Amino acid sequence: MKALNTIVVLIASLLAFSYSWSQDSSSFESNVPNVNGHYFVPNGLIVNPFNNTTYTQNLGIGFSTPIEVPTVTIGGVDIQLRTSTLVYANLLFRYNQKIKDWMSFYVRVGGAARVGVDPGTLLTQGVNTMVGTSIGWKIQFWRNEKHIIGGTIGMTDQNANFINVLGYIQDVLDGVENPNVSDDISVLQTELSVNYAFGISPTFGLMANAKYSFGDSFVRGTSASEFGIGAAFDANFYPQKRVPIGLSAGLAYASLPEISLTSQQSSIFYSFKFSYTGASNLILGIDFTGFESDLGIQRDATKITSKILVTSLALSMVYYFN
Amino acid sequence: MGLIRSIFIIAFIISPFATIAQNGIGLIVGINGTKLSGEKPSGVKFGSDLGYQFGLRANLQLKNEFWLTVQPSYIEANTSIVEKTSSSSGYFYFDNISYRNFNFKNQMLSLPVLAQVKMNKRMMAYGGFGGTYVFDSKISGEGLEADLEDFISNIQASMIFGFGYSIPVGKNQIMIDLLYKQELTRLTKEVVDDKDIDRLRLSGLVVNLSFLFNSGKK
């Protein structure tokens, strides 16, 4: 209910703010990429096909639904833990450098964390963190008045750290020599994607993409490939109505989502974004993202098989240089 | 024979481009700063070290501002492996902790095939893949010297990105390139230790200097 109130207040504030802008009738010129007169509202789930020079920043935090933690056995003693929650956080920086109208180069640096914040999740899920870098090319294959199709090819190098509290305690009790409380895993993946944008009208647009990546998995000694597909429908009310609000709703599927950190199950992501679109070279936004996932495991004995729902809130910014 | 026939077929296919384009062939020399990346045993740090490379370079213009560049090269890549030890007999001694420093050297033949796109009058952007044959691999230092061929996977595949600067010299040109190269395949043949050294790869920066003799118009 609190969240709903927050959203209502936010929408009301944006509408009130937009009223003052609605008096401005000058023509709109912007660095934001447009097709068929529609200036797209970016969505974090979808890679766009545009090659503008941009800087993107995203900071998010999320919470899982309550988790029923199973009985944990330590040193032969069964311990019943209470219902718990996981906290997710992520930070992303991305720079895209235009080389030609049809080609650009990108660098992405980011980190994510999944933290058990009470004894139940701390023991059974530990603290998982990941930092990674991606580099690659974006290429535009084809465009006409209303449609644009592009692709990316690149690679991602990630280093994940898994702190396994329960495993460490069990190893100490079992007399394991040199028990490790944490484990570092290095993951390198090559990624390909096909990206599409459709300027339906000056107000409405659609973006979609499909991606495939292959390489190491987060489970040592194994390889993995991931397939993902998604689409986002957006509305930008500024170019025609002079209301500096952009909305975007997206849905995506990932066969092996990295954000879940060690999860081996596919997930469906959804997002809803409110953006300020009145500036000629900047889009600021608040992203509400959710996904459903099985929990990753740290030890088979403590596997939690029920799905959890993670909802997160992120502040995002895209600056368009040209 | 098959290889020669393939070369003739490729030459036939690209000949219409070659007659109107600015193609080039020349020499390339460079230095590389290579580092091991990936998983490492606890107490071990990977550092970068300088190596060198030289070879040939061929530029084939496929479209107005787009070339394919092939750079068959010999590469010597050096990396350092620093191990923290509890004894004080290490290579150097700092803050009551001793370190042992090893040099890990790989000699390779490399065949990168890159797309080269002209950004403006002088600047180029590169992206592509390379195949590498590792024919010698040694670790040395601290009184140790060992061949590692038995543990190293001879065939490597890499992804390469970078930028270049072109200096015209008459019809010919000098190119200075800065490239980032990341091996995609694992360096070790199999898991050396099932916990510690599973995903080990070479990566690093390369600075190349090429002199190209160009055909076609300036």
Side-chain angles (χ1 to χ4, degrees):
Chain A
M1 212 45 206
K2 255 185 177 177
L4 190 66
N5 286 342
T6 309
I7 293 169
V8 170
V9 168
L10 195 67
I11 292 171
S13 307
L14 285 168
L15 286 172
F17 181 57
S18 68
Y19 177 75
S20 60
W21 282 82
S22 66
Q23 308 308 309
D24 178 11
S25 60
S26 60
S27 66
F28 182 59
E29 285 183 13
S30 173
N31 289 334
V32 177
N34 82 88
V35 177
N36 194 28
H38 174 69
Y39 292 83
F40 285 86
V41 179
N43 189 296
L45 295 182
I46 309 297
V47 178
N48 67 57
F50 305 110
N51 288 300
N52 305 55
T53 299
T54 56
Y55 171 71
T56 305
Q57 193 173 304
N58 190 295
L59 172 66
I61 187 162
F63 298 90
S64 75
T65 48
I67 302 160
E68 293 292 335
V69 181
T71 302
V72 172
T73 305
I74 300 176
V77 178
D78 288 345
I79 299 172
Q80 182 62 54
L81 296 161
R82 288 183 304 168
T83 305
S84 299
T85 305
L86 284 168
V87 172
Y88 289 73
N90 68 76
L91 181 62
L92 171 79
F93 305 98
R94 180 184 169 120
Y95 179 74
N96 203 74
Q97 173 65 50
K98 179 177 165 182
I99 307 283
K100 292 281 174 188
D101 288 341
W102 54 274
M103 185 186 190
S104 61
F105 175 76
Y106 69 83
V107 179
R108 189 177 62 207
V109 180
R114 195 191 74 178
V115 182
V117 289
D118 41 33
T121 45
L122 196 58
L123 269 177
T124 58
Q125 298 299 308
V127 176
N128 300 346
T129 55
M130 178 181 73
V131 291
T133 311
S134 302
I135 56 174
W137 297 101
K138 283 178 87 174
I139 298 163
Q140 182 185 303
F141 300 137
W142 176 83
R143 81 172 288 167
N144 69 8
E145 193 186 335
K146 290 188 175 181
H147 307 269
I148 176 167
I149 298 175
T152 63
I153 179 166
M155 63 185 176
T156 299
D157 189 8
Q158 296 175 104
N159 287 290
N161 178 264
F162 303 106
I163 295 176
N164 185 345
V165 180
L166 184 59
Y168 180 72
I169 294 170
Q170 283 175 340
D171 284 348
V172 169
L173 292 173
D174 293 345
V176 173
E177 201 177 336
N178 300 323
N180 278 330
V181 70
S182 72
D183 192 15
D184 292 307
I185 291 182
S186 173
V187 174
L188 184 76
Q189 292 201 316
T190 304
E191 55 197 20
L192 306 164
S193 75
V194 177
N195 316 311
Y196 167 71
F198 173 27
I200 300 167
S201 70
T203 303
F204 299 106
L206 177 74
M207 287 194 288
N209 82 318
K211 59 185 177 184
Y212 177 73
S213 60
F214 55 95
D216 302 327
S217 82
F218 282 106
V219 180
R220 183 174 272 113
T222 63
S223 299
S225 60
E226 182 200 346
F227 173 73
I229 190 164
F233 179 77
D234 73 277
N236 187 342
F237 300 106
Y238 190 69
Q240 276 213 322
K241 311 289 183 193
R242 289 296 183 270
V243 177
I245 288 179
L247 304 174
S248 174
L251 193 66
Y253 164 85
S255 67
L256 190 59
E258 65 186 39
I259 193 169
S260 61
L261 288 171
T262 76
S263 169
Q264 293 296 294
Q265 302 296 320
S266 62
S267 291
I268 290 177
F269 293 76
Y270 57 87
S271 81
F272 196 76
K273 179 169 185 167
F274 293 94
S275 292
Y276 169 70
T277 56
S280 63
N281 52 9
L282 183 74
I283 289 188
L284 295 170
I286 300 170
D287 294 45
F288 298 91
T289 306
F291 67 93
E292 208 175 49
S293 174
D294 280 346
L295 282 175
I297 57 166
Q298 291 206 317
R299 289 289 164 106
D300 283 345
T302 61
K303 183 173 182 181
I304 301 170
T305 54
S306 62
K307 277 189 182 296
I308 55 167
L309 176 67
V310 179
T311 49
S312 69
L313 179 72
L315 300 174
S316 66
M317 181 197 88
V318 185
Y319 185 86
Y320 299 87
F321 293 90
N322 59 43
Chain B
M1 278 307 284
L3 177 67
I4 293 169
R5 193 168 61 187
S6 303
I7 292 169
F8 271 108
I9 290 169
I10 292 167
F12 177 75
I13 293 168
I14 63 179
S15 58
F17 301 103
T19 53
I20 56 165
Q22 191 182 42
N23 300 314
I25 189 161
L27 299 171
I28 185 167
V29 293
I31 53 170
N32 60 67
T34 308
K35 189 181 176 184
L36 281 168
S37 61
E39 293 159 5
K40 48 187 179 280
S42 91
V44 166
K45 278 185 179 176
F46 295 144
S48 62
D49 222 334
L50 284 180
Y52 64 91
Q53 54 200 66
F54 59 85
L56 299 172
R57 173 172 180 163
N59 274 18
L60 182 70
Q61 190 167 19
L62 299 180
K63 282 191 78 175
N64 188 23
E65 295 180 327
F66 187 88
W67 288 260
L68 201 66
T69 171
V70 184
Q71 304 171 4
S73 308
Y74 163 83
I75 299 175
E76 183 179 302
N78 290 297
T79 76
S80 76
I81 301 171
V82 179
E83 183 189 14
K84 190 160 62 175
T85 66
S86 52
S87 76
S88 59
S89 60
Y91 186 71
F92 54 94
Y93 192 75
F94 182 70
D95 277 354
N96 296 323
I97 302 166
S98 127
Y99 296 90
R100 298 201 301 165
N101 195 1
F102 299 96
N103 172 259
F104 178 48
K105 181 167 85 175
N106 287 280
Q107 294 183 79
M108 308 176 260
L109 295 175
S110 175
L111 185 66
V113 180
L114 309 176
Q116 175 183 317
V117 179
K118 192 172 185 176
M119 295 169 66
N120 56 38
K121 194 177 175 187
R122 294 288 175 87
M123 290 292 293
M124 305 284 175
Y126 298 102
F129 293 90
T132 305
Y133 176 72
V134 183
F135 63 87
D136 192 36
S137 189
K138 278 191 177 69
I139 187 163
S140 59
E142 304 287 335
L144 169 82
E145 183 148 348
D147 286 327
L148 298 177
E149 283 96 350
D150 292 344
F151 302 103
I152 299 299
S153 179
N154 294 113
I155 303 295
Q156 299 282 311
S158 56
M159 199 176 236
I160 300 161
F161 300 91
F163 297 91
Y165 187 77
S166 168
I167 304 165
V169 182
K171 195 173 77 172
N172 305 315
Q173 67 188 128
I174 292 171
M175 296 284 305
I176 302 166
D177 303 326
L178 176 66
L179 304 171
Y180 174 73
K181 181 177 177 182
Q182 169 73 57
E183 299 287 352
L184 300 173
T185 43
R186 296 176 191 178
L187 189 62
T188 49
K189 259 183 194 159
E190 53 193 47
V191 177
V192 175
D193 178 317
D194 65 354
K195 189 165 175 58
D196 289 326
I197 313 174
D198 178 15
R199 294 160 180 177
L200 204 56
R201 295 180 174 90
L202 290 171
S203 63
L205 290 172
V206 179
V207 178
N208 276 334
L209 180 71
S210 320
F211 189 87
L212 284 167
F213 299 95
N214 288 327
S215 69
K217 60 188 175 183
K218 186 179 171 182

